[in-house]
């Protein structure tokens, strides 16, 4: 497969995943902001959103202060923000258009229709105050994309590079969401947090669609160390760090089988995977959750760079 | 306007109506269908077709007019029907014409017999900007220059077909031929079932067979074919993706290819892979910055060297454009007689070369009846349709001709045939043309029945180009005569 085509697929998937994730964090923040007795500053929830989306610097270059309206506009429809949902979908579609030949028509049409709706019917949704409907639509389109890919794409390099993009981006997003909230997971003397902590934990789980599955998995009340374990070390949780890394690791293995060559990205991915596989949540808390997450984000980023180096150029 | 009140334009051959009230046999069923259909439901179908085109992304790009550059070409839901006998005549004429054009190209890049025999003026060919001295003495694999030719034709009478121009460089539009058929099958399955329409969807397979047949002898057992596109900002990008997709080959850009020791490779995830045949949709001038335009970023450095070394085949071959120049066009009937010893089956439109004094005088005197074209113009730009032009426009054009006579030719304004077309006012006659696509490989010529029918949607207009408000129609060649 052409290196350029592989790169287009990889980035197409990353941008769709990013759009999906921005929609998720906004959805949860919106929910949090309508709850009574928010602790701390009234705007801190929106500030967290900007940080978790990885757009903090860009935001403050444009705005002096955090407000719901500004954050929402900036992260949804702002064409000047390269990380807004609109920009992500635009770039996803442009990447898809450049590799139409390796996409099935189902995927292409899903993406193209998403783009046409975005600049058509959906254009004014956010300005009209229909944020929830808009975000639900974004998530639906993202799932239509990944569902279409899963159901229709040939299982060869093209699919693997697409999945690699999804997994690298997803790992990055889960790690960022965790990092923004890491302080609420730190062990305290109380066994179970007060009402506010409890509420924050729910928000955290919801933003990675893990609230129901947490209860299903642990059959227990929310406990911070269990939440951290679930989102970091639980392979059955599809948005956990280890689940993403495990898939990156096995996708790279599949790709290596084609030509027998292994690269630095294989070594790095293997290292991260085994590190997570044999880690214990207690040890992670001991060395520092924040430090752990920062290092993870950095290594995940390096895997992405090495993949590009080995295959995409 | 309902189909029962449809009236052909005076002095114009109409594809549907034999007389003012009697239909031609081939259109009998189409006319019945139109008579039975409710105009509102036809309009609904038309809009449905537009949505489908937009969603599939069958678009072309118009830059510099602001807004979203991606547009769809208007699609007319009323098919253009050609009966089997007519198609037989057209197909024989096309094959003859393309064979002669190809032989002409082989000749002018090798022995120049036609020039030595004095049939065609030497300067006209050798000083033509489309003639590439770099290709002198080179004959491409299988002796084929014009692997894909798009021949623009019009009809003016029952058996009167004229060729307006030959496109032997990188003719486009075939994806519309194929998508128009797809859409018709989706929208009007019953109407199609009532006709025996010759299929067209095997075009990509025919194209792939053609391309593989001209692979260099050094190529592998199964040659690697690619489509070379200038990229997603090219107006025909959709077509490039479509053809690569349907042939199951890679769609590459210049940056994906490189040349090493006169061999062409593409950069893949598994390292370099050698390429044998390149179906290029890039003009000659941009192919190779080492040989032609040094500023080209679309091409591949060293490509022409690889071609000349015989390690890769380009389709169409570089330099093929010299046969589709409008001043060379005039001599195609002579080429047919010279190379094939046959009488031309398809007619050429009488053409005046403004570079000749007598011709020029006639043209300047008759600007109100002639169509004047730039010798190297295309896309319907830079032309004057005399009968539709104002006195001021004619005068302005006269000045341009006088200033640079060699750059212009003129032809009588043909009464292009009309076909029923669904427009805002209902069903009305509109002028059409036809661009069939002729494939030529090492083993011969193949033509998918039909081609692209373009329609001038504005009332009275004779300009069918999509850049000038033209639309397209599905083109049906009937396998059997209706009883």
């Amino acid at each position: 497969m052409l290196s350029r085509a592989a790169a287009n697929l990889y980035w197409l998937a990353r941008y769709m995943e990013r759009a999906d994730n921005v929609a998720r964090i906004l959805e949860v923040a919106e929910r949090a902001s309508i709850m009574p007795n928010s602790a701390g500053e009234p705007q801190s929830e929106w500030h967290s959103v900007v940080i978790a989306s990885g757009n903090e610097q860009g935001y403050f270059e444009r705005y002096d202060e955090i407000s719901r309206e500004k954050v929402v506009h900036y992260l949804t429809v702002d064409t000047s923000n390269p990380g807004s949902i609109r920009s992500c979908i635009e770039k996803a579609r442009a990447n898809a258009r450049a590799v139409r030949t390796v996409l099935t028509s189902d995927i292409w049409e899903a993406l193209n229709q998403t783009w046409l709706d975005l600049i058509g019917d959906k254009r004014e949704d956010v300005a009209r105050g229909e944020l929830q409907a808009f975000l639900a639509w974004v998530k639906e389109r993202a799932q239509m994309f990944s569902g279409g890919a899963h159901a229709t794409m040939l299982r060869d390099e093209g699919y693997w590079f697409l999945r690699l993009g999804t997994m690298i981006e997803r790992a990055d997003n889960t790690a960022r969401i965790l990092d923004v909230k890491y302080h609420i997971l730190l062990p305290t003397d109380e066994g179970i947090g007060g009402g506010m902590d409890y509420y924050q934990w729910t928000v955290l789980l919801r933003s990675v669609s893990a609230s129901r599955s947490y209860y299903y998995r642990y059959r227990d009340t929310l406990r911070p160390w269990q939440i951290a374990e679930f989102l970091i070390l639980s392979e059955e949780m599809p948005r956990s760090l280890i689940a993403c890394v495990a898939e990156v690791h096995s996708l790279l293995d599949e790709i290596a089988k084609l030509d027998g060559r292994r690269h630095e990205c294989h070594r790095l991915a293997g290292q991260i995977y085994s590190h997570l596989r044999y880690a214990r949540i207690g040890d992670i808390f001991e060395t520092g959750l924040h430090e752990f997450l920062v290092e993870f984000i950095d290594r995940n980023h390096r895997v992405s760079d090495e993949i590009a180096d080995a295959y995409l150029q | 306007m309902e189909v029962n009140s449809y009236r052909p334009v005076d002095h114009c051959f109409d594809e549907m109506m034999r007389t003012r009230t009697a239909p031609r046999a081939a259109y009998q069923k189409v006319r019945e269908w139109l008579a039975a259909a409710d105009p509102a439901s036809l309009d609904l179908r038309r809009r449905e077709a537009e949505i489908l085109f937009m969603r599939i992304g069958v678009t072309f790009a118009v830059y510099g007019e602001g807004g979203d550059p991606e547009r769809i070409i208007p699609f007319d839901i009323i098919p253009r029907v050609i009966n089997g006998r007519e198609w037989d005549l057209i197909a024989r004429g096309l094959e003859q014409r393309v064979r002669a054009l190809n032989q002409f190209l082989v000749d002018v890049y090798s022995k120049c017999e036609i020039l030595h025999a004095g049939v065609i003026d030497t300067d006209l060919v050798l000083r033509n900007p489309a003639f590439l001295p770099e290709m002198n003495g080179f004959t491409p694999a299988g002796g084929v220059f014009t692997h894909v030719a798009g021949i623009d034709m019009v009809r003016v009478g029952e058996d009167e077909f004229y060729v307006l121009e030959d496109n032997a460089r990188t003719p486009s539009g075939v994806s519309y031929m194929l998508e128009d058929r797809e859409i018709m099958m989706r929208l009007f399955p019953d109407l199609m079932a009532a006709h025996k329409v010759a299929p067209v969807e095997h075009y990509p397979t025919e194209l792939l067979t053609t391309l593989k047949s001209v692979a260099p002898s050094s190529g592998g057992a199964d040659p690697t074919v690619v489509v070379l596109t200038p990229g997603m900002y090219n107006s025909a990008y959709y077509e490039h993706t479509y053809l690569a997709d349907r042939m199951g080959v890679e769609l590459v850009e210049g940056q994906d290819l490189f040349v090493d020791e006169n061999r062409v490779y593409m950069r893949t995830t598994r390292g370099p892979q050698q390429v044998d045949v390149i179906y290029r949709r890039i003009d000659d001038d941009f192919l190779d910055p080492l040989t032609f335009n040094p500023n080209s970023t679309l091409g591949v450095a060293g490509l022409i060297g690889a071609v000349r070394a015989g390690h890769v085949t380009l389709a169409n071959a570089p330099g093929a454009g010299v046969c589709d120049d409008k001043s060379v066009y005039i001599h195609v009937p002579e080429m047919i007689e010279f190379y094939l010893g046959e009488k031309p089956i398809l007619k050429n439109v009488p053409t005046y070369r403004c570079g000749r004094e007598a011709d020029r005088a006639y043209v300047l005197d008759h600007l109100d009846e002639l169509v004047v074209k730039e010798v190297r113009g295309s896309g319907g730009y830079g032309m004057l349709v005399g009968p539709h032009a104002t006195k001021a426009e004619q005068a302005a054009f006269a000045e341009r001709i006088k200033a640079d006579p060699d750059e212009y030719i003129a032809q009588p304004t043909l009464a292009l045939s009309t076909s029923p077309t669904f427009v805002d006012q209902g069903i009305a006659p509109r002028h059409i043309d036809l661009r069939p696509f002729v494939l030529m490989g090492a083993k011969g010529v193949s033509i998918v029945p039909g081609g692209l029918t373009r329609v001038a949607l504005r009332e009275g207009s004779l300009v069918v180009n999509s850049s000038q408000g033209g639309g397209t129609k599905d083109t049906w060649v009937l396998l059997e005569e209706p009883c």
Side-chain angles (χ1 to χ4, degrees):
Chain A
M1 151 169 270
L2 284 178
S3 298
R4 183 177 52 81
N8 285 134
L9 289 169
Y10 178 82
W11 283 105
L12 153 61
R14 283 199 71 159
Y15 284 124
M16 280 312 280
E17 182 67 21
R18 197 172 293 178
D20 186 30
N21 277 294
V22 173
R24 279 167 199 282
I25 19 185
L26 278 170
E27 207 171 36
V28 174
E30 181 73 348
R31 207 184 141 87
S33 69
I34 55 175
M35 290 297 289
N37 74 330
S38 296
E41 292 173 53
Q43 306 303 354
S44 66
E45 199 57 49
W46 294 107
H47 193 173
S48 306
V49 166
V50 175
I51 300 171
S53 72
N55 291 292
E56 193 184 17
Q57 196 187 345
Y59 181 88
F60 285 109
E61 277 166 18
R62 272 202 70 176
Y63 301 108
D64 298 332
E65 44 152 28
I66 292 281
S67 81
R68 177 192 176 276
E69 278 61 42
K70 287 175 181 136
V71 172
V72 165
H73 175 80
Y74 188 67
L75 291 182
T76 55
V77 293
D78 193 339
T79 50
S80 73
N81 173 13
S84 71
I85 289 174
R86 190 195 145 115
S87 299
C88 287
I89 292 177
E90 182 170 12
K91 282 184 278 191
R93 193 253 184 189
N95 273 285
R97 193 161 179 261
V99 281
R100 283 191 63 163
T101 50
V102 292
L103 290 177
T104 60
S105 53
D106 294 76
I107 307 173
W108 161 254
E109 287 182 26
L111 286 168
N112 194 35
Q113 191 60 50
T114 305
W115 169 244
L116 293 173
D117 288 348
L118 190 64
I119 56 174
D121 291 354
K122 297 282 160 194
R123 203 189 177 101
E124 299 296 331
D125 270 17
V126 175
R128 271 201 303 264
E130 291 165 24
L131 179 64
Q132 290 295 350
F134 179 78
L135 298 174
W137 173 79
V138 173
K139 281 168 57 184
E140 185 187 305
R141 300 308 297 188
Q143 279 168 24
M144 185 177 274
F145 160 71
S146 55
H150 182 76
T152 64
M153 270 185 84
L154 214 56
R155 293 304 192 267
D156 71 355
E157 280 174 290
Y159 184 69
W160 299 333
F161 281 109
L162 195 84
R163 289 297 294 176
L164 269 180
T166 305
M167 288 304 139
I168 293 277
E169 183 68 26
R170 187 173 289 171
D172 182 69
N173 284 297
T174 299
R176 281 176 195 280
I177 290 171
L178 271 170
D179 194 34
V180 170
K181 298 276 181 187
Y182 83 94
H183 54 275
I184 61 161
L185 292 174
L186 294 180
T188 56
D189 290 339
E190 321 163 51
I192 300 170
M196 210 43 233
D197 276 353
Y198 195 86
Y199 182 68
Q200 290 276 10
W201 297 335
T202 311
V203 165
L204 176 59
L205 284 171
R206 272 177 185 276
S207 60
V208 289
S209 297
S211 177
R212 291 263 173 96
S213 36
Y214 175 88
Y215 290 112
Y216 185 82
R217 168 74 169 69
Y218 290 95
R219 306 198 183 276
D220 191 6
T221 186
L222 298 182
R223 296 177 197 281
W225 69 270
Q226 270 176 191
I227 296 174
E229 183 189 63
F230 194 44
L231 298 188
I232 297 171
L233 298 178
S234 175
E235 238 182 295
E236 62 215 294
M237 160 60 200
R239 306 186 88 85
S240 72
L241 301 188
I242 193 168
C244 298
V245 171
E247 190 164 346
V248 167
H249 181 250
S250 81
L251 286 164
L252 285 172
D253 260 359
E254 289 293 339
I255 293 167
K257 275 186 211 155
L258 288 175
D259 62 357
R261 294 184 303 163
R262 298 181 78 82
H263 304 273
E264 174 64 10
C265 57
H266 291 89
R267 193 191 67 79
L268 259 178
Q271 191 184 49
I272 303 174
Y273 178 49
S274 55
H275 179 63
L276 286 179
R277 223 179 134 192
Y278 299 108
R280 286 182 306 197
I281 198 68
D283 298 341
I284 292 176
F285 274 110
E286 213 153 280
T287 48
L289 181 57
H290 174 65
E291 290 72 17
F292 166 82
L293 292 167
V294 168
E295 194 189 337
F296 177 85
I297 292 169
D298 177 57
R299 285 176 162 211
N300 188 52
H301 195 84
R302 272 169 56 210
V303 174
S304 179
D305 286 349
E306 292 298 337
I307 290 173
D309 218 41
Y311 297 110
L312 308 182
Q313 45 196 262
Chain B
M1 201 194 315
E2 302 218 355
V3 72
N4 290 324
S5 48
Y6 178 90
R7 292 291 174 267
V9 179
D10 287 342
H11 313 297
C12 262
F13 180 84
D14 188 78
E15 303 277 346
M16 181 167 76
M17 304 302 286
R18 188 163 47 82
T19 66
R20 282 177 66 82
T21 51
R24 295 176 63 243
Y27 270 86
Q28 190 82 44
K29 285 182 193 155
V30 170
R31 187 162 184 269
E32 284 164 13
W33 164 69
L34 288 174
D38 159 30
S41 90
L42 287 181
D43 196 44
L44 201 66
R45 293 301 172 85
R46 184 184 58 77
R47 272 184 287 147
E48 206 177 309
E50 275 178 16
I51 291 167
L52 283 171
F53 275 115
M54 208 59 202
R55 181 178 180 139
I56 300 171
V58 190
T59 56
F60 73 109
V62 178
Y63 295 102
E65 287 182 11
D68 187 358
E70 286 174 45
R71 313 274 167 87
I72 52 172
I73 294 186
F75 168 70
D76 183 49
I77 54 174
I78 306 177
R80 187 257 181 94
V81 188
I82 297 172
N83 72 35
R85 191 187 52 78
E86 290 161 356
W87 176 250
D88 191 53
L89 175 84
I90 295 171
R92 281 188 296 118
L94 290 170
E95 172 160 1
Q96 178 194 54
R97 192 170 179 101
V98 172
R99 279 187 189 286
L101 289 171
N102 190 65
Q103 286 211 26
F104 169 75
L105 289 166
V106 171
D107 186 25
V108 297
Y109 287 109
S110 54
K111 298 177 184 157
C112 296
E113 285 172 352
I114 200 164
L115 307 181
H116 297 317
V119 177
I120 297 179
D121 180 34
T122 304
D123 280 357
L124 191 61
V125 177
L126 302 187
R127 290 180 179 270
N128 196 300
F131 181 84
L132 299 183
E134 294 83 356
M135 297 301 290
N136 255 330
F138 179 76
T139 302
V144 184
F145 269 87
T146 56
H147 309 83
V148 185
I151 309 294
D152 289 348
M153 308 175 58
V154 296
R155 181 181 206 178
V156 300
E158 188 64 52
D159 278 326
E160 274 188 284
F161 294 93
Y162 282 95
V163 172
L164 274 189
E165 70 187 52
D166 306 289
N167 298 281
R169 300 167 204 227
T170 54
S172 63
V174 78
S175 59
Y176 293 101
M177 168 182 97
L178 297 163
E179 289 287 14
D180 285 358
R181 176 62 53 84
E182 281 298 319
I183 298 280
M184 285 304 275
M185 295 203 319
R186 265 161 104 157
L187 295 182
F188 306 109
D190 296 346
L191 181 66
M192 293 221 56
H195 291 80
K196 291 204 163 168
V197 183
V200 293
E201 54 263 35
H202 55 297
Y203 177 85
T205 314
E206 295 279 325
L207 176 60
L208 185 60
T209 308
T210 300
L211 295 170
K212 284 188 176 178
S213 80
V214 293
S217 47
S218 61
D222 189 24
T224 300
V225 176
V226 298
V227 177
L228 174 60
T229 174
M232 60 189 279
Y233 298 107
N234 183 270
S235 64
Y237 179 70
Y238 170 73
E239 179 156 309
H240 308 158
T241 66
Y242 182 94
L243 291 172
D245 195 17
R246 295 302 155 101
M247 290 194 285
V249 305
E250 297 287 359
L251 178 69
V252 303
E253 295 179 16
Q255 51 168 319
D256 299 322
L257 300 178
F258 66 93
V259 176
D260 185 32
E261 301 206 342
N262 280 336
R263 284 175 172 79
V264 181
Y265 299 89
M266 57 180 166
R267 297 174 219 273
T268 80
T269 52
R270 302 183 214 178
Q273 183 187 340
Q274 195 177 343
V275 172
D276 302 304
V277 183
I278 301 175
Y279 178 39
R280 51 92 174 211
R281 298 294 295 256
I282 293 183
D283 289 339
D284 283 355
D285 203 25
F286 298 99
L287 278 177
D288 182 350
L290 297 186
T291 311
F292 308 121
N293 185 343
N295 299 320
S296 170
T297 53
L298 303 175
V300 186
L303 185 57
I304 295 301
V307 169
R308 288 205 55 123
H311 294 315
V312 70
T313 304
L314 285 190
N316 292 352
V322 70
C323 78
D324 69 15
D325 186 283
K326 291 188 182 72
S327 57
V328 174
Y329 157 89
I330 301 167
H331 301 288
V332 177
E334 288 142 280
M335 290 178 203
I336 294 173
E337 297 195 28
F338 185 81
Y339 295 114
L340 309 177
E342 296 171 9
K343 288 277 167 226
I345 299 169
L346 301 173
K347 292 182 185 170
N348 244 27
V349 186
T351 303
Y352 305 96
R353 279 173 62 187
C354 300
R356 287 189 187 139
E357 210 175 322
D359 283 13
R360 181 166 64 249
Y362 178 86
V363 170
L364 291 173
D365 261 4
H366 296 81
L367 272 182
D368 56 339
E369 5 181 300
L370 300 171
V371 175
V372 188
K373 297 176 183 173
E374 288 176 4
V375 173
R376 276 166 276 283
S378 68
Y381 292 106
M383 63 189 265
L384 174 86
V385 181
H388 296 174
T390 62
K391 284 283 163 210
E393 284 165 339
Q394 290 175 22
F397 227 84
E399 290 313 310
R400 285 166 60 182
I401 295 170
K402 284 182 210 161
D404 212 349
D406 284 335
E407 290 301 305
Y408 295 92
I409 54 126
Q411 296 167 333
T413 309
L414 296 182
L416 269 56
S417 66
T418 53
S419 169
T421 301
F422 192 70
V423 293
D424 289 344
Q425 303 82 3
I427 300 161
R430 292 289 182 269
H431 296 290
I432 56 170
D433 80 343
L434 177 66
R435 174 180 284 187
F437 296 90
V438 184
L439 297 176
M440 186 168 194
K443 295 177 194 83
V445 169
S446 86
I447 310 171
V448 169
L452 177 66
T453 292
R454 298 184 295 178
V455 53
L457 294 172
R458 251 176 294 137
E459 189 173 1
S461 169
L462 296 169
V463 186
V464 296
N465 303 76
S466 52
S467 48
Q468 315 274 309
T472 69
K473 281 170 172 289
D474 190 15
T475 309
W476 292 4
V477 171
L478 300 185
L479 287 170
E480 264 174 36
E481 293 302 295
C483 307

